[in-house]
Amino acid sequence: MKIAAIVQARSASTRLPGKVLFEVLEKPILQHQLETLLRARQTDQLIPATTEQPNDDAVAEIGKAAGCKVFRGSERDVLDRFYQAARESSADAIVRLTGDEPFMDPVLIDEVIGAFNKDASYDYVSNTLRPTYPDGLDIEIFRFSALEAACRNARLPSEREHVTPYIYNNSDFRGGSRFRARNHAFEADLSHLRWTLDERADFELVREVYERLYPANPHFGWMDVLALVTKLPRLIEVNAHIIRNDGYQKSLFADRVRSGGKSRYGRSVELFHRASKVIPTASQTFSKCWTQFTFGANPLYIEKAKGCLVWDVDGNPYIDYAMALAPIILGYCEPRVDAAVRRQLEKGITFTLSSPIEIEVAEKLCDLIPCAEMVRFGKNGSDATSAAVRAARAYTGREIVACCGYHGWQDWFIGTTTRNQGVPTGVRKLTVPFNYNDLASLEKIFREYPGQVAAVIMEPVGVVHPNPGFLEGVSALARQNKSVLIFDEVITGFRMSQGGAQEYFKVVPDLAAFGKAMANGMPIAAVVGRRDIMNLFSEIFFSMTFGGEALSLAATAETLRIFEAEKVLDQIWSNGRRLMDGTRALILKHELSPTIRIAGYPPRHVFEFSDTEDGSALEIKSFFQQECADRGLLFSGAHNVSYAHTGDVIDRTLSIYSEVFESLIQAARRGVRSALKGEVVQPVFRRA
C-alpha cells in the first residue's frame, strides 16, 4: 500500500497571516515542519499542498527546497486541492497534516498509520474523533476511495474547507454507515493543551519551545514538548484561552448563514466571534465562559431573565439552576428587591459621605451572623476573603495562611492553583493548602510553620459533608496555635441558613466572608467578625470608592427582610431535597450510579461525572449539558436552588432528566463523544 502524507499550507490566514513563514531560529516554521515530517518511516511521499496564488510562491519554494514534490491548487476549495494532490500521487491511503502543527512528531504519525494498517476494513483512522492528544498533533489517515467520495459528494462550505468532515460525519463513529472509522487515543487526556499555530499567542509558545529544545536536540518529539510544559506550567496558560477547532466552528456557522437557515444558537455564536476580538476569553468570568458549556450546542449569551427562567439572545427559554453562579437566591428580577433598588436610585447611588443604609445593613448582619460584631463592605467575594486575610495578618503579626477550598482571584490564594501566572513566587509560598476532612493535613502545616500561621481560612462546607468533629477540630487547632479562623461563607451564607454554615453547624469562626446571595444579584460582599480584630480596619487599608454603594445595600436590606418574612430557606431546603432525591432516584432507575453521582446539600448540590469506557467525565458532562439545553434547561453542573424554583419547576426538571438519562444510555452504545454536537467543556483549573 502506498501512503502519501499531504501537508496543506498557505500563507494567507484570517487570524495569523503568513504564519507558516514565521521564522524561529532563523528558519521558517514550515521548513522546520517539513524536515521533521520527512523522518516518518511509514509514509512513501510527502507533498506540501498550497494554493496557486502568487503569495504562496514562498510556500512552494520551501517545499521544493526540502526535496518534496509540491502541489498547487484551489485556494478556497481545500478539499479539491487535497484530492487532486492525492490523485496525482497515486497513493492508496493519505495522511492529512496541516502547516499549523509545528510540534508534529514522525513517531506519532507512524503509530497512527500502524493502527490504520491493523484492520483493512477501516476507511478512516484519526486521533481527533475523541481528542486525547494536544491540539496541534492532529493526524488523519484515510483511503483514497473515501477522499474521492468526499470530493464528489461534499456540498457544505465546512466540508470543502476542512477536507474530512464529510468522511467522519458519515462514518459509523458518528452513527452513519458509509465509512468505517476508528479513534486512536492516548493513555491520558491531554486535549486541553494547545500546540497548534493559529494566533499570536500560539507563536509565542512555539518560539519559546524551539528556543529551549531545538539547539540541543533538533529531532525533539512531542513527549519532549510535554516534559517542558510540565516543568514550566506557565507555558500551558500562554494560549489556553483559545477555542480548539475555532476555524471549523466558524465554518459551521457559515454553513447556516449561507443556507439561509436559522441556528438555535446562531446569534450566540455571532456574538462570541465579536467578543473574542475585544474581550479575553470572550467573557468577563471564567465560569460563565464558552469553555464551560458545550460550544456549538449551548447558548453563550443571555438576553433577559425572570424568576428561575432565562432567555438566550436567540429567544430560547431555559430553566436555570446556575442562577448567575449562585447570587440569585430569590429569583431573577424579584419585584420587591427591584423596587427597593429603584427607590434608592431616586435618592442616589453613591455619595461624598457615608450613607445611613450602611449602618442599617451592618446592624442586621450583626443580628443574623453568629460571629459578626462589626462589618465592612466590599463588592465581591474576593474582596471579603482578602480583607479577612489581611486583618488576620495584622492581628497576629504573622504571614503564613493555611487554606482549604476556593477563595477568589487575589494573589494570596490563586497562587496555590494552576492559574498562578503573574503571581510572585514569594507570595505563592505564603499560602499552604490543607485537605477537607483531614485534620492531620492542617496539623502538619502548624508543625512545619510553628508560630507563623496567621490564619486558617476555609469553606466550612462545599459539597462534601464534614466528618463529625472536623470543623470543631479545625477551630480547636486554630485556637491552640493562636491563629485566626476565617470561614469563607461567600457561597454558604444565606443559603445553608440565614447565619450561614457557622449557624447550621454551630461552629463559630473569628472572621467570615459573605457575598453572593445576600443581595439577590446586586454586587456586594462583607467581611464580619470579632470586634477586636475588625477594629484593625481602622488601620489596615481596605477602602474603595464603591464600598458603601447604596443600591446594593438597599437590595441587601430588602432581600434579608423577605428571608425573614416568608421563611425562604424552608422552601429552598424542601424543594432542593425533592430535586436532589428525585435526581438520585432517576440515576438508580437508569442504572447510571457508577457514572453520575449527586453530592452536597439540598440548597446546593452538584453532579459528579466519572470516566467510563464509553466516554470521559467531561464528555459525559458535555453531552448531558447539550441534551438539557435542547429540552430547555441550562445545565452547568450544579443546582443552586432558589425561592423561584417551585414544585412545578422541580417536576419539569425531573422529567427532562429522565429523557436525558435515556439519551445518555443510547449515546454510550456508540461512544459519547460521537454524539456531541459541539466541543467538550474544559475545566477552569487545568492540570499542570
Side-chain angles (χ1 to χ4, degrees):
M1 176 184 291
K2 182 180 180 181
I3 299 176
I6 300 179
V7 184
Q8 59 187 72
R10 62 185 182 125
S11 60
S13 169
T14 303
R15 291 174 292 278
L16 192 62
K19 59 187 180 181
V20 297
L21 303 177
F22 285 9
E23 291 195 355
V24 175
L25 299 177
E26 301 181 348
K27 188 185 296 185
I29 288 176
L30 181 61
Q31 183 178 342
H32 281 290
Q33 185 182 13
L34 294 178
E35 290 173 356
T36 298
L37 297 179
L38 285 168
R39 299 201 309 272
R41 296 180 178 181
Q42 299 295 320
T43 57
D44 299 295
Q45 190 176 7
L46 178 63
I47 305 170
T50 191
T51 80
E52 298 169 324
Q53 298 300 314
N55 58 1
D56 280 325
D57 290 348
V59 174
E61 289 302 317
I62 291 172
K64 293 174 183 177
C68 302
K69 183 177 180 180
V70 177
F71 180 86
R72 304 187 72 167
S74 172
E75 178 182 26
R76 295 188 177 278
D77 191 345
V78 186
L79 174 56
D80 181 74
R81 187 203 320 165
F82 210 89
Y83 167 69
Q84 298 298 342
R87 189 177 70 167
E88 190 173 286
S89 74
S90 300
D92 302 296
I94 299 93
V95 177
R96 177 179 177 250
L97 304 166
T98 63
D100 53 12
E101 299 176 317
F103 303 144
M104 183 53 69
D105 191 327
V107 175
L108 182 57
I109 293 172
D110 289 341
E111 186 180 312
V112 177
I113 293 174
F116 178 78
N117 286 334
K118 281 183 180 179
D119 191 334
S121 68
Y122 283 110
D123 301 290
Y124 174 95
V125 172
S126 173
N127 63 354
T128 62
L129 291 173
R130 184 181 294 167
T132 53
Y133 287 89
D135 187 8
L137 294 182
D138 298 355
I139 302 169
E140 300 171 285
I141 179 170
F142 40 87
R143 300 190 183 282
F144 177 78
S145 58
L147 177 64
E148 189 170 44
C151 193
R152 185 169 55 249
N153 297 300
R155 294 291 180 268
L156 294 173
S158 61
E159 295 172 337
R160 307 303 302 189
E161 183 181 353
H162 296 277
V163 181
T164 53
Y166 181 86
I167 299 174
Y168 59 71
N169 283 331
N170 288 280
S171 72
D172 54 357
F173 193 88
R174 296 287 192 184
S177 59
R178 181 153 196 171
F179 306 106
R180 286 207 66 208
R182 174 187 172 186
N183 186 65
H184 181 76
F186 188 56
E187 59 190 21
D189 185 1
L190 303 176
S191 59
H192 61 287
L193 299 174
R194 180 180 171 88
W195 296 353
T196 188
L197 178 60
D198 214 22
E199 302 279 358
R200 176 60 61 175
D202 297 330
F203 179 65
E204 298 306 319
L205 172 64
V206 172
R207 180 165 55 189
E208 182 162 358
V209 169
Y210 265 88
E211 288 174 351
R212 287 179 177 275
L213 295 180
Y214 186 85
N217 180 15
H219 293 174
F220 70 86
W222 80 272
M223 293 297 285
D224 298 307
V225 181
L226 180 62
L228 177 64
V229 300
T230 301
K231 181 180 178 182
L232 300 174
R234 65 175 176 78
L235 293 177
I236 296 174
E237 299 298 329
V238 168
N239 57 359
H241 61 283
I242 306 170
I243 187 172
R244 184 171 185 138
N245 293 331
D246 180 38
Y248 182 50
Q249 292 296 334
K250 289 181 178 178
S251 293
L252 292 177
F253 180 62
D255 288 349
R256 294 191 290 267
V257 172
R258 292 169 189 171
S259 65
K262 182 182 183 298
S263 165
R264 178 177 172 87
Y265 307 118
R267 179 68 174 151
S268 267
V269 174
E270 181 182 7
L271 287 173
F272 165 77
H273 291 307
R274 282 178 56 193
S276 63
K277 297 176 182 177
V278 293
I279 300 172
T281 71
S283 174
Q284 304 298 333
T285 308
F286 276 127
S287 296
K288 298 180 182 181
C289 183
W290 57 267
T291 60
Q292 304 308 295
F293 294 88
T294 312
F295 186 89
N298 262 85
L300 301 176
Y301 294 90
I302 289 174
E303 185 78 52
K304 62 180 181 177
K306 180 69 175 177
C308 65
L309 300 178
V310 297
W311 285 261
D312 69 19
V313 291
D314 290 283
N316 304 304
Y318 306 88
I319 299 170
D320 183 20
Y321 280 102
M323 302 305 283
L325 307 182
I328 309 300
I329 191 75
L330 298 175
Y332 290 105
C333 297
E334 208 292 326
R336 290 161 294 181
V337 175
D338 288 358
V341 171
R342 284 193 292 270
R343 288 194 299 272
Q344 181 60 50
L345 183 60
E346 293 178 357
K347 299 177 183 178
I349 301 171
T350 189
F351 310 101
T352 301
L353 300 177
S354 298
S355 168
I357 197 169
E358 298 175 36
I359 305 168
E360 175 190 342
V361 176
E363 288 175 339
K364 191 62 182 176
L365 294 181
C366 288
D367 289 342
L368 292 173
I369 301 169
C371 78
E373 295 177 347
M374 300 188 83
V375 179
R376 196 65 176 264
F377 294 114
K379 299 309 295 177
N380 56 64
S382 296
D383 287 348
T385 55
S386 300
V389 166
R390 183 174 294 178
R393 283 172 165 163
Y395 182 77
T396 61
R398 303 170 179 177
E399 293 188 341
I400 299 297
V401 174
C403 74
C404 179
Y406 170 77
H407 306 296
W409 70 270
Q410 298 278 14
D411 283 9
W412 70 268
F413 167 71
I414 210 67
T416 68
T417 75
T418 57
R419 292 281 187 182
N420 59 17
Q421 192 171 350
V423 179
T425 302
V427 174
R428 297 183 201 176
K429 293 178 180 179
L430 295 177
T431 304
V432 187
F434 67 96
N435 301 320
Y436 196 75
N437 276 334
D438 184 359
L439 279 176
S441 66
L442 179 57
E443 290 171 340
K444 181 181 178 183
I445 294 174
F446 281 118
R447 286 197 306 271
E448 292 181 352
Y449 300 93
Q452 300 175 62
V453 179
V456 176
I457 182 169
M458 65 180 299
E459 292 181 282
V461 66
V463 295
V464 176
H465 292 216
N467 290 337
F470 172 65
L471 293 177
E472 293 84 352
V474 171
S475 178
L477 280 173
R479 188 167 56 253
Q480 291 165 14
N481 290 276
K482 298 182 180 179
S483 301
V484 176
L485 177 60
I486 305 168
F487 275 2
D488 179 346
E489 299 237 42
V490 172
I491 292 176
T492 55
F494 307 101
R495 186 170 289 278
M496 294 294 292
S497 70
Q498 280 193 267
Q502 59 187 273
E503 180 182 61
Y504 182 82
F505 293 112
K506 296 180 172 56
V507 178
V508 181
D510 301 307
L511 298 175
F514 283 76
K516 288 195 185 282
M518 64 189 290
N520 197 48
M522 289 293 284
I524 191 170
V527 55
V528 305
R530 277 173 30 196
R531 187 176 305 276
D532 58 334
I533 304 176
M534 292 296 297
N535 269 326
L536 288 171
F537 281 97
S538 298
E539 299 297 329
I540 64 174
F541 202 87
F542 178 66
S543 179
M544 62 194 74
T545 300
F546 298 108
E549 178 262 307
L551 299 185
S552 296
L553 288 165
T556 301
E558 184 62 20
T559 298
L560 297 181
R561 188 196 67 76
I562 295 170
F563 260 72
E564 288 188 296
E566 302 186 11
K567 297 184 178 179
V568 167
L569 282 177
D570 289 349
Q571 178 174 308
I572 287 176
W573 272 83
S574 176
N575 284 341
R577 184 174 289 108
R578 182 176 170 187
L579 176 60
M580 193 175 186
D581 292 346
T583 305
R584 281 176 171 160
L586 287 171
I587 291 170
L588 288 172
K589 176 184 175 182
H590 290 86
E591 299 180 348
L592 287 167
S593 296
T595 307
I596 304 174
R597 293 175 301 280
I598 303 297
Y601 287 82
R604 180 179 181 269
H605 47 276
V606 303
F607 283 64
E608 295 180 342
F609 298 92
S610 297
D611 293 342
T612 71
E613 293 181 356
D614 305 311
S616 70
L618 287 176
E619 287 171 346
I620 295 169
K621 178 181 179 180
S622 302
F623 178 81
F624 196 90
Q625 204 177 63
Q626 163 188 297
E627 297 301 298
C628 283
D630 282 350
R631 292 164 175 82
L633 191 149
L634 189 60
F635 178 83
S636 66
H639 289 150
N640 295 316
V641 183
S642 77
Y643 195 36
H645 289 104
T646 61
D648 290 344
V649 173
I650 303 300
D651 289 343
R652 173 57 183 153
T653 300
L654 294 174
S655 176
I656 289 171
Y657 285 167
S658 183
E659 294 178 12
V660 173
F661 288 145
E662 185 61 39
S663 294
L664 177 59
I665 292 169
Q666 298 296 324
R669 291 172 181 166
R670 66 178 189 272
V672 175
R673 183 66 182 89
S674 66
L676 280 177
K677 294 181 282 189
E679 294 294 308
V680 178
V681 299
Q682 302 173 25
V684 171
F685 295 99
R686 296 181 173 87
R687 292 152 292 200

